mmCIF file of all heavy atoms in Angstrom:
data_model
loop_
_atom_site.group_PDB
_atom_site.id
_atom_site.type_symbol
_atom_site.label_atom_id
_atom_site.label_comp_id
_atom_site.label_asym_id
_atom_site.label_seq_id
_atom_site.Cartn_x
_atom_site.Cartn_y
_atom_site.Cartn_z
ATOM 1 N N ILE A 133 -1.900 12.396 0.709
ATOM 2 C CA ILE A 133 -2.656 11.600 -0.264
ATOM 3 C C ILE A 133 -1.712 11.158 -1.379
ATOM 4 O O ILE A 133 -1.189 11.983 -2.119
ATOM 5 C CB ILE A 133 -3.824 12.410 -0.854
ATOM 6 C CG1 ILE A 133 -4.708 12.952 0.262
ATOM 7 C CG2 ILE A 133 -4.649 11.533 -1.784
ATOM 8 C CD1 ILE A 133 -5.860 13.812 -0.230
ATOM 9 N N TYR A 183 -5.001 12.252 -11.464
ATOM 10 C CA TYR A 183 -6.428 12.550 -11.554
ATOM 11 C C TYR A 183 -7.082 12.247 -10.211
ATOM 12 O O TYR A 183 -6.608 11.405 -9.440
ATOM 13 C CB TYR A 183 -7.106 11.675 -12.613
ATOM 14 C CG TYR A 183 -7.016 12.192 -14.027
ATOM 15 C CD1 TYR A 183 -5.832 12.072 -14.759
ATOM 16 C CD2 TYR A 183 -8.106 12.781 -14.644
ATOM 17 C CE1 TYR A 183 -5.747 12.534 -16.065
ATOM 18 C CE2 TYR A 183 -8.029 13.246 -15.949
ATOM 19 C CZ TYR A 183 -6.850 13.117 -16.652
ATOM 20 O OH TYR A 183 -6.766 13.587 -17.939
ATOM 21 N N TRP A 184 -8.174 12.944 -9.951
ATOM 22 C CA TRP A 184 -9.093 12.566 -8.884
ATOM 23 C C TRP A 184 -10.297 11.901 -9.549
ATOM 24 O O TRP A 184 -10.729 12.312 -10.625
ATOM 25 C CB TRP A 184 -9.593 13.782 -8.102
ATOM 26 C CG TRP A 184 -8.549 14.629 -7.452
ATOM 27 C CD1 TRP A 184 -8.201 15.908 -7.789
ATOM 28 C CD2 TRP A 184 -7.719 14.290 -6.318
ATOM 29 N NE1 TRP A 184 -7.215 16.375 -6.951
ATOM 30 C CE2 TRP A 184 -6.899 15.400 -6.039
ATOM 31 C CE3 TRP A 184 -7.602 13.148 -5.520
ATOM 32 C CZ2 TRP A 184 -5.978 15.411 -5.004
ATOM 33 C CZ3 TRP A 184 -6.680 13.148 -4.490
ATOM 34 C CH2 TRP A 184 -5.879 14.278 -4.235
ATOM 35 N N THR A 185 -10.831 10.881 -8.922
ATOM 36 C CA THR A 185 -12.134 10.363 -9.331
ATOM 37 C C THR A 185 -13.066 10.480 -8.129
ATOM 38 O O THR A 185 -12.659 10.199 -6.994
ATOM 39 C CB THR A 185 -12.098 8.896 -9.788
ATOM 40 O OG1 THR A 185 -12.003 8.032 -8.654
ATOM 41 C CG2 THR A 185 -10.937 8.638 -10.722
ATOM 42 N N TYR A 186 -14.289 10.912 -8.377
ATOM 43 C CA TYR A 186 -15.258 11.100 -7.302
ATOM 44 C C TYR A 186 -16.506 10.271 -7.577
ATOM 45 O O TYR A 186 -16.974 10.191 -8.726
ATOM 46 C CB TYR A 186 -15.652 12.576 -7.184
ATOM 47 C CG TYR A 186 -14.494 13.489 -6.844
ATOM 48 C CD1 TYR A 186 -13.736 14.081 -7.850
ATOM 49 C CD2 TYR A 186 -14.158 13.764 -5.522
ATOM 50 C CE1 TYR A 186 -12.673 14.925 -7.541
ATOM 51 C CE2 TYR A 186 -13.103 14.608 -5.213
ATOM 52 C CZ TYR A 186 -12.364 15.180 -6.225
ATOM 53 O OH TYR A 186 -11.309 16.014 -5.928
ATOM 54 N N VAL A 235 -16.300 10.152 -11.501
ATOM 55 C CA VAL A 235 -16.264 11.450 -12.188
ATOM 56 C C VAL A 235 -14.810 11.907 -12.197
ATOM 57 O O VAL A 235 -14.206 12.126 -11.152
ATOM 58 C CB VAL A 235 -17.156 12.473 -11.471
ATOM 59 C CG1 VAL A 235 -17.087 13.826 -12.176
ATOM 60 C CG2 VAL A 235 -18.599 11.974 -11.405
ATOM 61 N N LEU A 236 -14.242 12.052 -13.384
ATOM 62 C CA LEU A 236 -12.804 12.324 -13.527
ATOM 63 C C LEU A 236 -12.501 13.811 -13.507
ATOM 64 O O LEU A 236 -13.160 14.601 -14.184
ATOM 65 C CB LEU A 236 -12.285 11.733 -14.834
ATOM 66 C CG LEU A 236 -11.930 10.245 -14.839
ATOM 67 C CD1 LEU A 236 -11.653 9.794 -16.260
ATOM 68 C CD2 LEU A 236 -10.727 9.960 -13.960
ATOM 69 N N VAL A 237 -11.475 14.190 -12.733
ATOM 70 C CA VAL A 237 -10.991 15.564 -12.693
ATOM 71 C C VAL A 237 -9.471 15.537 -12.788
ATOM 72 O O VAL A 237 -8.802 14.934 -11.943
ATOM 73 C CB VAL A 237 -11.414 16.282 -11.392
ATOM 74 C CG1 VAL A 237 -10.792 17.676 -11.329
ATOM 75 C CG2 VAL A 237 -12.930 16.374 -11.296
ATOM 76 N N ALA A 239 -5.860 16.598 -12.156
ATOM 77 C CA ALA A 239 -5.281 17.297 -11.008
ATOM 78 C C ALA A 239 -3.973 17.975 -11.364
ATOM 79 O O ALA A 239 -3.113 18.185 -10.514
ATOM 80 C CB ALA A 239 -5.073 16.313 -9.852
ATOM 81 N N TYR A 305 -0.072 15.724 -7.872
ATOM 82 C CA TYR A 305 -1.230 16.596 -8.090
ATOM 83 C C TYR A 305 -0.919 18.039 -7.704
ATOM 84 O O TYR A 305 -0.224 18.310 -6.741
ATOM 85 C CB TYR A 305 -2.459 16.084 -7.342
ATOM 86 C CG TYR A 305 -2.342 16.022 -5.838
ATOM 87 C CD1 TYR A 305 -2.592 17.143 -5.047
ATOM 88 C CD2 TYR A 305 -2.009 14.837 -5.193
ATOM 89 C CE1 TYR A 305 -2.495 17.083 -3.671
ATOM 90 C CE2 TYR A 305 -1.915 14.765 -3.813
ATOM 91 C CZ TYR A 305 -2.162 15.890 -3.059
ATOM 92 O OH TYR A 305 -2.064 15.833 -1.700
ATOM 93 N N ILE A 307 -3.739 20.327 -8.248
ATOM 94 C CA ILE A 307 -5.093 20.749 -7.892
ATOM 95 C C ILE A 307 -5.534 19.884 -6.729
ATOM 96 O O ILE A 307 -5.558 18.657 -6.826
ATOM 97 C CB ILE A 307 -6.050 20.598 -9.089
ATOM 98 C CG1 ILE A 307 -5.598 21.519 -10.223
ATOM 99 C CG2 ILE A 307 -7.484 20.895 -8.682
ATOM 100 C CD1 ILE A 307 -6.377 21.355 -11.501
ATOM 101 N N GLY A 308 -5.865 20.512 -5.604
ATOM 102 C CA GLY A 308 -6.151 19.781 -4.383
ATOM 103 C C GLY A 308 -7.470 19.026 -4.412
ATOM 104 O O GLY A 308 -8.296 19.166 -5.319
ATOM 105 N N LEU A 309 -7.672 18.222 -3.367
ATOM 106 C CA LEU A 309 -8.850 17.370 -3.265
ATOM 107 C C LEU A 309 -10.142 18.189 -3.237
ATOM 108 O O LEU A 309 -11.118 17.855 -3.913
ATOM 109 C CB LEU A 309 -8.736 16.517 -1.994
ATOM 110 C CG LEU A 309 -9.859 15.526 -1.718
ATOM 111 C CD1 LEU A 309 -9.957 14.483 -2.821
ATOM 112 C CD2 LEU A 309 -9.632 14.845 -0.364
ATOM 113 N N LYS A 352 -10.887 8.671 -5.243
ATOM 114 C CA LYS A 352 -9.622 7.947 -5.440
ATOM 115 C C LYS A 352 -8.616 8.926 -6.026
ATOM 116 O O LYS A 352 -8.986 9.815 -6.804
ATOM 117 C CB LYS A 352 -9.791 6.759 -6.397
ATOM 118 C CG LYS A 352 -10.717 5.667 -5.902
ATOM 119 C CD LYS A 352 -10.669 4.436 -6.794
ATOM 120 C CE LYS A 352 -11.188 4.691 -8.197
ATOM 121 N NZ LYS A 352 -12.637 4.954 -8.240
ATOM 122 N N HIS A 353 -7.339 8.756 -5.664
ATOM 123 C CA HIS A 353 -6.247 9.490 -6.321
ATOM 124 C C HIS A 353 -5.574 8.492 -7.247
ATOM 125 O O HIS A 353 -4.988 7.511 -6.786
ATOM 126 C CB HIS A 353 -5.269 10.032 -5.280
ATOM 127 C CG HIS A 353 -4.063 10.704 -5.876
ATOM 128 N ND1 HIS A 353 -4.033 11.215 -7.156
ATOM 129 C CD2 HIS A 353 -2.821 10.934 -5.361
ATOM 130 C CE1 HIS A 353 -2.844 11.732 -7.401
ATOM 131 N NE2 HIS A 353 -2.096 11.580 -6.335
#
Side-chain angles (χ1 to χ4, degrees):
I133 305 178
Y183 276 76
W184 302 112
T185 76
Y186 298 91
V235 179
L236 278 171
V237 175
Y305 62 84
I307 297 174
L309 181 62
K352 296 189 295 292
H353 175 22

